[in-house]
Amino acid sequence: YTKIHVSDVLAMWRRKHTYMQNTTMDLKAAKEIRLYDMNSFMIKKYSEINKERYEAQKKKERLSFAADAGYNVIWAFCQIILYGWIIYSAVNRKITVGNLTLYLTSMTTLFNGIIRLLDIANKLFSQSREVEDYRKFIDIEIEEDTSGMAKIEVPEFDEYNFTFRNVSFKYPKSDNYVLCNLNLTISSGEKLAVVGLNGAGKSTMIKLLLGLYEPTQGVILLNGVDIKKYDRTSYYNIFAPVFQEIPIFAFPLIENVSMNTLDNTDIKRAEYAVGLSGLSNKADSLKKGIFTELLKVISDDGVELSGGENQKLGLARAVYKNAPVIVLDEPTASMDALAESRFYRNFDKMMGGKTAIYISHRLSAARFCSKIALFDNGKLAEYGTHESLMAAGGMYSDMFKIQAQYYHEEAGLSE
């Protein structure tokens, strides 16, 4: 009863409490909290959230008090009856003094044993409740391939060709499709730019390709084989993604690049990745170079990287992993103009002969790619080269001209 009506009720509170706790302790949020004078606001939010726990906790304490009181009353009643009978028998000489001592000792031993047994049972039930959520999570049935065939490892292909065949996707319990009837082929070694307005379906398409989402309808093929048939870990290994938000770990810079322990890291390869990503100047300026600790969570001497440096670190990870397919989600969004220009100059060298999918709002970056896919309202609206789409005079052409006009005006103002 306590688990269902108290602990489960507090699950949402724990999520809110954890969020508030992490936010108030996060250095990234500290500037906004101070500059916008959010102290009283955050405290008020914290108090409102804690009221939920207070009400649920009161209910739990009432239940615990009632259960303990009932247990103690029954326990005391049993002891009174038994000890009363022993004393009555001794007074009326129905038992000897020796038997009296034996009975008292036996009763004490019996009650102590029962107490220990009940205490152990209580701990077992308590621990069982604590791991019940974990057991439910482990027992969740995940939809797998129903053919009965074992998952296969992704072979080391010479080419990696992906095909979206009538792929549609919508979130569970939603009637609206985020992606509709997508038919697209990504050839091996191709540099594909994925562009479009916010909410057009670009990120959803990438998550489907990476295997993070499964299509609601249709199939995604790798060299003609449904990607559902591949072992997920094996399938993930063919991708080197660089997302907008780059998680930084409180480890040395070199381990943040290799995503492995120093013993299992190829130092020369890591140095090459750092140099190619444009992070070498930062690394050279550090006292311990690429062996410098990042963040101040574990090491007081840890270094905090800027937003642009974080993105360069993400690129270094992708270069180090050396996977056949690289996915770049706005990789220059936080970089300055010089760093972005250097990235475009090194784009072909960085990608090599690998397949690259490049998501960007800056259409000027699409010119570095061999093909461009424009998404609009969850559909593939336009597809082709930069020159062919400009000649078609469609949505891509209009968006490119608007952005180009903005850059021209900005250049004129700077002159």
Side-chain angles (χ1 to χ4, degrees):
Y1 184 89
T2 303
K3 171 70 171 64
I4 297 173
H5 297 280
V6 179
S7 298
D8 290 348
V9 171
L10 285 176
M12 179 61 73
W13 169 83
R14 291 190 190 94
R15 188 155 47 246
K16 295 177 182 178
H17 182 267
T18 300
Y19 169 76
M20 290 298 298
Q21 189 175 42
N22 292 340
T23 301
T24 53
M25 297 175 65
D26 190 355
L27 292 175
K28 295 179 181 178
K31 296 187 292 294
E32 280 74 13
I33 292 175
R34 290 183 180 182
L35 293 174
Y36 284 91
D37 193 19
M38 296 175 64
N39 294 346
S40 57
F41 171 79
M42 298 296 284
I43 292 173
K44 183 179 179 181
K45 284 288 184 181
Y46 226 138
S47 300
E48 291 174 355
I49 291 173
N50 283 332
K51 284 180 182 178
E52 297 179 21
R53 185 200 177 198
Y54 177 69
E55 293 300 323
Q57 200 69 31
K58 281 199 304 184
K59 188 174 184 179
K60 178 182 179 181
E61 294 304 324
R62 290 194 191 102
L63 291 172
S64 298
F65 175 79
D68 290 341
Y71 164 79
N72 289 327
V73 168
I74 294 173
W75 187 248
F77 180 75
C78 292
Q79 287 187 316
I80 290 171
I81 293 296
L82 291 172
Y83 280 110
W85 176 81
I86 292 174
I87 295 172
Y88 173 80
S89 299
V91 170
N92 290 278
R93 300 182 183 277
K94 293 183 178 182
I95 59 174
T96 64
V97 175
N99 286 336
L100 172 63
T101 304
L102 174 64
Y103 290 153
L104 288 176
T105 304
S106 300
M107 290 301 301
T108 301
T109 303
L110 174 64
F111 282 127
N112 287 338
I114 293 175
I115 290 173
R116 284 197 297 270
L117 181 63
L118 292 175
D119 185 55
I120 292 172
N122 181 56
K123 288 181 179 178
L124 287 174
F125 283 121
S126 177
Q127 292 172 354
S128 177
R129 289 194 300 270
E130 290 176 0
V131 300
E132 183 177 353
D133 291 335
Y134 176 75
R135 288 200 300 265
K136 288 181 178 179
F137 176 76
I138 292 298
D139 292 338
I140 290 176
E141 294 184 3
I142 301 176
E143 293 185 6
E144 298 287 353
D145 181 29
T146 56
S147 64
M149 297 177 61
K151 296 292 184 178
I152 58 177
E153 298 285 324
V154 178
E156 290 189 12
F157 295 115
D158 293 330
E159 295 184 346
Y160 293 82
N161 300 298
F162 298 89
T163 302
F164 287 76
R165 185 178 294 170
N166 302 320
V167 172
S168 297
F169 176 80
K170 65 179 179 180
Y171 291 100
K173 301 180 181 179
S174 174
D175 297 328
N176 300 321
Y177 280 91
V178 183
L179 208 62
C180 303
N181 197 33
L182 174 62
N183 288 280
L184 176 66
T185 297
I186 305 173
S187 301
S188 183
E190 184 174 272
K191 309 295 187 292
L192 175 67
V194 181
V195 300
L197 301 176
N198 290 333
K202 305 186 300 296
S203 296
T204 301
M205 173 261 186
I206 293 300
K207 290 173 182 175
L208 287 166
L209 175 66
L210 294 174
L212 300 176
Y213 293 167
E214 290 189 0
T216 305
Q217 299 173 3
V219 293
I220 303 174
L221 306 175
L222 168 58
N223 292 348
V225 178
D226 189 344
I227 64 173
K228 289 183 180 179
K229 295 182 179 180
Y230 288 118
D231 172 72
R232 289 198 177 191
T233 302
S234 174
Y235 182 73
Y236 292 156
N237 286 336
I238 69 175
F239 295 99
V242 182
F243 299 112
Q244 291 187 49
E245 294 293 331
I246 308 296
I248 306 298
F249 300 95
F251 307 139
L253 173 60
I254 187 172
E255 292 182 357
N256 269 276
V257 172
S258 67
M259 301 297 280
N260 210 327
T261 61
L262 187 59
D263 293 338
N264 296 317
T265 297
D266 186 332
I267 297 178
K268 289 185 177 180
R269 186 167 148 196
E271 290 175 339
Y272 173 76
V274 168
L276 195 58
S277 67
L279 194 59
S280 55
N281 289 339
K282 178 64 177 180
D284 293 340
S285 68
L286 302 175
K287 185 181 296 185
K288 297 181 181 179
I290 60 175
F291 299 97
T292 301
E293 294 278 349
L294 298 185
L295 304 182
K296 298 182 182 297
V297 179
I298 295 177
S299 174
D300 293 336
D301 298 329
V303 174
E304 301 280 348
L305 299 180
S306 66
E309 290 166 347
N310 285 343
Q311 289 198 311
K312 292 176 184 178
L313 176 58
L315 291 170
R317 285 177 183 168
V319 173
Y320 182 90
K321 188 175 182 182
N322 196 30
V325 184
I326 296 180
V327 178
L328 306 171
D329 187 359
E330 293 284 357
T332 63
S334 299
M335 293 185 187
D336 56 55
L338 292 176
E340 184 178 23
S341 175
R342 191 181 303 112
F343 168 79
Y344 291 141
R345 288 199 305 270
N346 293 332
F347 185 74
D348 288 334
K349 184 178 179 181
M350 192 178 298
M351 299 302 109
K354 298 178 174 56
T355 304
I357 297 98
Y358 186 101
I359 304 176
S360 179
H361 288 94
R362 303 180 188 180
L363 300 190
S364 57
R367 301 183 65 177
F368 293 88
C369 299
S370 53
K371 292 291 179 64
I372 298 168
L374 173 68
F375 284 82
D376 184 38
N377 292 324
K379 298 180 179 179
L380 180 60
E382 297 181 16
Y383 178 77
T385 64
H386 171 75
E387 291 75 16
S388 66
L389 294 182
M390 289 298 293
M395 185 176 178
Y396 174 83
S397 176
D398 294 338
M399 291 173 61
F400 187 87
K401 290 175 182 177
I402 291 172
Q403 287 194 9
Q405 180 182 1
Y406 169 76
Y407 288 125
H408 285 313
E409 291 175 354
E410 190 177 63
L413 289 174
S414 64
E415 293 175 359

